[in-house]
Amino acid sequence: MRTATITRATKETQIRLAVDLDGTGKATIATGVGFFDHMLDLLARHSRIDMEIEAKGDLHIDFHHTVEDVGIALGQAVKAALGDMRGVTRYASLHLPMDETLTRVALDISGRPFLVFRTEFPAPKIGEFDTELVREFFQAFAINAGLTLHVETLYGLNAHHIAESCFKGLARALRVAVAIDPASAGEIPSTKGSLGG
């Protein structure tokens, strides 16, 4: 079973999070941040990774700590669920259209975390949600999941569509990359014989 549960408690947030990489995309999400819940629901649905996420954070200050810490915990859970990464497809890339927006996402389950995020938003907020927090989530997730992750929005006009294309693009790339490749099941997908070193 490629599952993991993470509990994270700090002075800023309390998070309980569970994932199943071989799920159907079921999601139970409650972070107290409506737009973020919507993005996480999309992430679960399109990656087909089952997610249970409950977060309580210092929302009276702003949404930053909650969004970043959920990214940390989700990355840790995905990494734990991947185990030694035997048989995973490892690489994935795609272009994700969302109406007038087009975003390119490429990732490598490398064990060597790195984020390139070339996405600009035409507005500082989507409702009450700071658009700069999209990058904060991706950074926290990539570093803690051990992913090399490249996200670039090639064009777009609507901030909501841009954010959604990033999350859906990540989801669809994850769906491919974490899948077990029947041709190499049981093998580490690296000429070094290990990932992350």
Side-chain angles (χ1 to χ4, degrees):
M1 295 291 291
R2 298 193 302 163
T3 63
T5 300
I6 297 290
T7 301
R8 175 183 170 86
T10 71
K11 292 181 180 179
E12 298 165 343
T13 59
Q14 294 79 47
I15 296 167
R16 185 190 177 280
L17 189 151
V19 300
D20 181 351
L21 300 186
D22 301 306
T24 59
K26 291 184 297 185
T28 305
I29 312 288
T31 69
V33 182
F35 179 76
F36 188 42
D37 287 357
H38 176 44
M39 293 299 104
L40 292 171
D41 186 60
L42 293 173
L43 182 60
R45 178 73 56 87
H46 288 276
S47 67
R48 297 188 65 81
I49 297 174
D50 290 349
M51 296 183 190
E52 295 178 18
I53 302 173
E54 183 179 359
K56 292 180 171 55
D58 53 3
L59 303 182
H60 62 286
I61 296 175
D62 67 7
F63 299 159
H64 187 284
H65 297 143
T66 298
V67 172
E68 182 177 35
D69 287 6
V70 167
I72 291 170
L74 184 58
Q76 291 172 344
V78 167
K79 185 174 184 178
L82 282 167
D84 65 6
M85 300 179 239
R86 288 183 185 276
V88 297
T89 301
R90 180 176 169 179
Y91 293 100
S93 65
L94 76 156
H95 289 78
L96 197 292
M98 178 70 192
D99 295 349
E100 86 297 342
T101 298
L102 185 66
T103 295
R104 175 170 55 211
V105 177
L107 70 80
D108 173 13
I109 303 175
S110 61
R112 298 183 309 279
F114 199 91
L115 175 69
V116 175
F117 192 84
R118 294 182 177 171
T119 292
E120 295 183 7
F121 291 91
K125 286 184 177 289
I126 301 168
E128 297 180 349
F129 185 86
D130 294 318
T131 51
E132 66 183 11
L133 295 180
V134 175
R135 188 191 189 285
E136 293 299 322
F137 171 82
F138 275 73
Q139 174 79 10
F141 177 72
I143 295 304
N144 286 277
L147 302 179
T148 301
L149 176 61
H150 293 245
V151 179
E152 182 176 20
T153 298
L154 304 179
Y155 44 82
L157 298 172
N158 180 287
H160 189 132
H161 294 167
I162 291 170
E164 190 162 330
S165 70
C166 291
F167 276 88
K168 283 182 175 177
L170 173 61
R172 287 283 168 164
L174 273 174
R175 180 173 176 173
V176 173
V178 303
I180 299 299
D181 181 352
S184 58
E187 299 175 11
I188 300 290
S190 171
T191 55
K192 294 185 297 186
S194 66
L195 287 169

